[in-house]
Amino acid sequence: MFAPFSKAYYLGRLYVEPYDGEQAAIHQEHHEQVNELLYATGEGVERLDLPLVMKVGRTHLSVTGDETVPERTLAVPGDVLDAAGVENPPTLREVLLAKGDVAERILGLQDAAV
């Protein structure tokens, strides 16, 4: 689903569509797989529900898992779609997935802003 792109990101193509949820989401199983690849250290029991950080357009999103979201789809609340500059959804878009250290930094900045 994602391929190496830079020191900070992986690149993927997902369908981006409007979503009624409060936070952006991808299919639950994919969310867990990506969590395992990005965050797991291989030591002991590890969480697979940490938020992912994806960049769509000019906006970074904290992304959770949701069983109701179709595979290969990033579901985004409508107001966030507008802020990201996504026009005419659903649409196939390039999406950047932040690597673990970058995601931690971005999530930390978002928490500090609240």
Side-chain angles (χ1 to χ4, degrees):
M1 182 163 33
F2 289 92
F5 178 70
S6 69
K7 290 182 181 180
Y9 294 98
Y10 295 97
L11 176 65
R13 289 179 58 86
L14 297 174
Y15 286 95
V16 179
E17 68 178 35
Y19 181 57
D20 290 333
E22 298 202 10
Q23 187 174 355
I26 61 173
H27 190 274
Q28 180 70 36
E29 186 177 324
H30 290 157
H31 185 270
E32 290 174 7
Q33 290 171 350
V34 172
N35 243 290
E36 186 172 15
L37 289 172
L38 286 183
Y39 303 129
T41 62
E43 299 175 13
V45 176
E46 299 181 288
R47 291 182 61 184
L48 298 178
D49 63 345
L50 297 169
L52 304 174
V53 174
M54 294 186 182
K55 185 175 182 184
V56 177
R58 54 190 179 267
T59 303
H60 282 92
L61 308 169
S62 177
V63 180
T64 62
D66 183 335
E67 292 177 0
T68 66
V69 175
E71 293 184 12
R72 300 193 48 80
T73 299
L74 174 60
V76 181
D79 58 333
V80 179
L81 278 175
D82 293 339
V86 175
E87 297 177 10
N88 301 319
T91 184
L92 188 60
R93 296 281 305 247
E94 289 184 344
V95 175
L96 295 174
L97 171 65
K99 293 183 177 180
D101 58 332
V102 175
E104 285 180 40
R105 208 166 42 245
I106 292 169
L107 289 172
L109 291 173
Q110 287 178 347
D111 289 343
V114 174

